[in-house]
Amino acid sequence: MITYFKYYLRLFSILILFPTHVFGQTTILLDDAVALRDIGKQTYYLEDATLKLSINDIINNDVEATFVPNSQEAVNFSSTASAYWLKFKVSKAISDNFYLNVGSAYIDSISLYEFDDKGELISTRHTGDDLPFNSREIKVGNYLFALNFEKDTTHTFYLRVKCDQPLFFLLRVGTLPNFVAYEHDLDFLQGIYFGFMLLIFLYNLFLYFSTRERIYLYYIAYVFSITWFMASVFGYFFEYFWPNFPFLNGLVVVSSGLTMITATLFTQKFLNTKESGSAMHKGSMIFLVVGVLICVLVLLGFKIEGLKLSQGGLLIMSVFFLILGIRFKLKGYRPAKYYLFAWGALILGIFFAILESLNVTFVMTYLNAMQIGSALEVLLLSFALGDRINMYKQQKEDAQLEALLAAKENERLIQEQNIILEKKVKERTAEVAIQNEKLVNLNKEKDMLVNVVAHDLRTPLSHIRLLIQLIDMTSLDLTEDQESYLTEIDNSADRLSQMIGRILNIHALETNRVKLKNQVLDLVELVNYVVKCFRLTSEGKEIEISTISEPGNHFVEVDKNYTIQVLENLVSNAIKFSDRGSKVFLHIKSKDRKTYVTVEDQGPGISEEDQKKLFGRFQRLSAQPTEGEASIGLGLSIVKKYIEAMNGEIHCESQLGIGTKFIISFDSKDQLEEVRS
C-alpha cells in the first residue's frame, strides 16, 4: 500500500508541476541505492524514420546535435514505424551495482551502446522480443542491463528501440534488490489478474460442456483472446511458452482481431440481435469484418496498420455495443443491465489504454487500464450470463406453470365434452339401433320378395314357355306377323327368366348360400365350349373369335357352371361392344403357378374414370353395345363375385380407341381330380 501511495503521490506532483516544469539535469547521478529512479526526463531522443542510422552515424556531431530533450518521465512514442534513439549520461557517486531497466516486455528490438568518459565504445548489447529469450542479460520479462563501471566516472549511453506495437515504457535505474522487489509486486498483481481470467475461462468451459450452449463457447474464446494479448504484452507467453520462437511475438495483434470477432459473436447471441432487431444485427456484422481484416493485415506483415485499426475498432465496437445494451435495457431485457456495466468498464479500460499508447496520459506501472477494465468486464459478463440463465429458468418455470394450468383446464373441458359425447353417443346408439331394426325388417321383406320371384314368378314363366313350345305353328293357320309375335313372346319370356336367374344368383352370393362344386378342370376345354356356344352370335355380327392356347397343362380347381357363366359373360360383352368385322381373342396360358384367361376385343375401350366403377352393381358406363344389345349392368359385378368365390382374380386393361382386355386367373393344378362339394 505504501508503494502505491508513493506512486500516486509522485503522479499527482507531476500533473501539478507539469506546466512550470523545466528539463532536469543531463547527467544522471546515482547516489542513492534505496529506491528505483525514473530517468525519462533526463534523456534526449532522436527519431530514425529511415531505420538506417548506425551508432557511428549517431555519434557524429551533426546528428547528435539533433537530439531533443524528453519532456515526460515515461518514454512514449505512441504507435510508430520509426526507430528511436535515446541518449543519457550516468555518473556513479556510490559503488553499488546499478541496473538500467527498460520497463516493457513488448519491444521488438533493443540495442544499448555504452561509451566511457573518454568517448570510447566499451560495450554493445542487443536484445528484444525479435530475438530468443535467452538473449536477455537478465532472464526477466522486462529488460535489465548492468551498469558496471567505476565510482566517480561518467558514462554515456545510447539506447535504440524499435517496435511495431505502441512504443512506450518507463526507463529506470536502481539496484538489483530494488528490481527484485518491483518484480515481486508486479508478478503478484499479474498473478491475481491471470489467475482470475483462468478461473473465468475454466468455469465457463465447464458450463459449455455441461449445457452445450454456443454462447459459452463464444465467451471463453473472448476471454482467451484478451488473456493472450495481455500475457504477450507482459512477456509471459514468450518467456514460458515459446522462448525460442520469437517470430510468434509478431502475431500478438491477431488477438485484438479475435477479440473483436468473439465479442461480436457473444453479443449477437447474448442479446439475440438477429431476432430482435435486424438493423442493429447488421451493424454488428461490420465488426466481424474488421476483426478478420485485422488478422489478415497482421499475418501479411502490416502490423502497424493492423494495430491502429484494432485500437480504433475496439473503441468504436465497445461504444456500439454499449448503445446496443442500452437499447435492449430500455426494451426490458433484464440481463442487459450487467451487460451495460461490463461494456462500460471495458470502454473505460480501452479508452485509457489508447490514451496511454497515444502519449496523452501517464503510463501505469503494475497493471494497465485495459487489464482492469477487462477483468471487471469478464466478471460482470459472468454475472450477466448467470442472470440470463436465471431469467430463462424463471421463464421456463412460468411456462411450465401456465402449461400445467392449461392442462388442468383442458382436462376439465375434456371431461365436460366426454359427458356430452357420451350422452350424444347413447342417443345416436339408440337411433342406430332403431334404424338397424328397420333395416333388418327391410332385409327380411327383400328376402321375401326374392322368394316370391323365385317361386311365384319363375313357375308361371316356365309354364308360358312350355305352352309356346307345344304350339305347332305349322299346323295352325297363322299369319307371318302372328308367328313373329309368338317368337317374340318366347324370347321375352326367356330374357325375363334369365334376368330373374341373375337376381337370384346375386342374392345367393350376398347371403352366402352359393354351394360351389369345385373340381380340377382343363380350362382350355371350358373356353372352347363357350366359344362354340357363341359361334352363331359372333357370325351374326361378322365378328371372328380366335382361341390361343399356349403349350402345357392349364388345369384349375373351379366350379364348372360358374366358370362357364363367367366366360359367357365376358365373351358376350366382347361381342356386344365390338363393331362388325372386328376380332375377339381368347388367350390361355400358365405361368408361375397361375393359369390366365384373357378375353380381348377391338371395341371402343373403357376410360380410366369408367374403369374405377367397372365391377360395381347396376353401373352404366359411357360405352354402349354397338348394335343396341340389351344390358342391365349386372354382368361384371356377378363375374367378379363368382371369380372371388372360387379364389380367383380379375382385372381390366383398356385403351380408348384400341380395345379392352379382361384377365382372369386361378391357381394352377397339376392333374385332374374328382368333383368336391
Side-chain angles (χ1 to χ4, degrees), residues 284-308:
S284 65
M285 298 297 290
I286 296 174
F287 301 108
L288 290 178
V289 177
V290 174
V292 173
L293 182 58
I294 291 170
C295 296
V296 172
L297 287 173
V298 175
L299 293 175
L300 293 179
F302 300 96
K303 298 178 183 178
I304 297 296
E305 292 79 1
L307 176 64
K308 291 181 178 180

Side-chain angles (χ1 to χ4, degrees), residues 500-517:
I500 293 172
R502 289 176 180 174
I503 294 173
L504 292 174
N505 285 334
I506 294 173
H507 179 68
L509 284 171
E510 291 178 344
T511 55
N512 296 319
R513 290 204 295 265
V514 174
K515 292 185 179 180
L516 299 176
K517 296 182 179 180

Side-chain angles (χ1 to χ4, degrees), residues 2 79 125 146 150 176 189 194 207 213 255 260 267 323 356 360 376 391 419 429 478 499 521 547 550 585 660 677:
I2 295 175
S79 298
R125 286 168 272 188
E150 297 296 327
L176 193 58
L189 293 174
F194 288 110
L207 290 179
E213 288 195 29
S255 63
M260 293 189 69
T267 297
I323 296 172
E356 184 181 53
V360 176
L376 289 174
M391 183 188 71
I419 294 172
T429 301
L478 299 175
M499 187 179 299
L521 301 171
T547 303
E550 293 187 0
F585 302 95
T660 302
S677 58

Side-chain angles (χ1 to χ4, degrees), residues 44-46 56-68 87-89 156-158:
Y44 293 79
Y45 71 90
L46 171 68
N56 292 326
D57 298 325
I58 291 298
I59 61 177
N60 182 284
N61 290 331
D62 293 336
V63 175
E64 191 167 12
T66 60
F67 275 84
V68 295
K87 176 186 175 183
F88 52 93
K89 293 182 179 181
T156 302
F157 294 87
Y158 292 90

Side-chain angles (χ1 to χ4, degrees), residues 173-389:
V173 292
T175 62
L176 193 58
N178 299 146
F179 286 112
V180 169
Y182 166 76
E183 289 290 335
H184 177 74
D185 293 339
L186 175 66
D187 291 340
F188 174 73
L189 293 174
Q190 291 294 326
I192 292 175
Y193 172 78
F194 288 110
F196 173 75
M197 298 297 280
L198 180 62
L199 178 64
I200 293 293
F201 177 88
L202 294 176
Y203 174 69
N204 286 278
L205 182 64
F206 171 77
L207 290 179
Y208 168 71
F209 285 119
S210 300
T211 63
R212 295 293 178 178
E213 288 195 29
R214 195 176 300 173
I215 189 171
Y216 290 105
L217 189 62
Y218 294 151
Y219 184 55
I220 60 178
Y222 172 67
V223 172
F224 173 77
S225 64
I226 294 179
T227 307
W228 173 19
F229 178 77
M230 292 302 170
S232 298
V233 167
F234 286 91
Y236 294 119
F237 270 14
F238 184 34
E239 182 177 357
Y240 296 109
F241 290 94
W242 54 75
N244 298 319
F245 302 97
F247 72 92
L248 294 176
N249 296 322
L251 304 179
V252 172
V253 181
V254 170
S255 63
S256 299
L258 295 179
T259 298
M260 293 189 69
I261 294 171
T262 53
T264 302
L265 294 174
F266 173 80
T267 297
Q268 290 177 344
K269 188 70 174 177
F270 184 84
L271 297 178
N272 292 324
T273 57
K274 189 174 183 179
E275 291 78 12
S276 303
S278 58
M280 300 297 283
H281 178 74
K282 292 178 181 178
S284 65
M285 298 297 290
I286 296 174
F287 301 108
L288 290 178
V289 177
V290 174
V292 173
L293 182 58
I294 291 170
C295 296
V296 172
L297 287 173
V298 175
L299 293 175
L300 293 179
F302 300 96
K303 298 178 183 178
I304 297 296
E305 292 79 1
L307 176 64
K308 291 181 178 180
L309 181 60
S310 68
Q311 288 175 335
L314 285 171
L315 184 58
I316 296 172
M317 180 193 73
S318 300
V319 174
F320 180 85
F321 288 164
L322 184 66
I323 296 172
L324 195 62
I326 293 173
R327 180 175 178 180
F328 276 84
K329 182 65 175 68
L330 294 176
K331 286 184 176 181
Y333 187 61
R334 193 178 74 185
K337 174 179 62 177
Y338 292 108
Y339 183 86
L340 284 174
F341 289 135
W343 283 105
L346 183 65
I347 287 174
L348 290 175
I350 293 175
F351 180 74
F352 279 105
I354 292 174
L355 292 180
E356 184 181 53
S357 68
L358 293 176
N359 198 16
V360 176
T361 186
F362 62 90
V363 177
M364 298 183 68
T365 305
Y366 294 102
L367 291 171
N368 62 42
M370 193 167 177
Q371 281 184 296
I372 298 173
S374 63
L376 289 174
E377 185 221 15
V378 296
L379 177 63
L380 291 171
L381 285 181
S382 296
F383 290 159
L385 284 173
D387 191 57
R388 183 173 180 266
I389 293 173

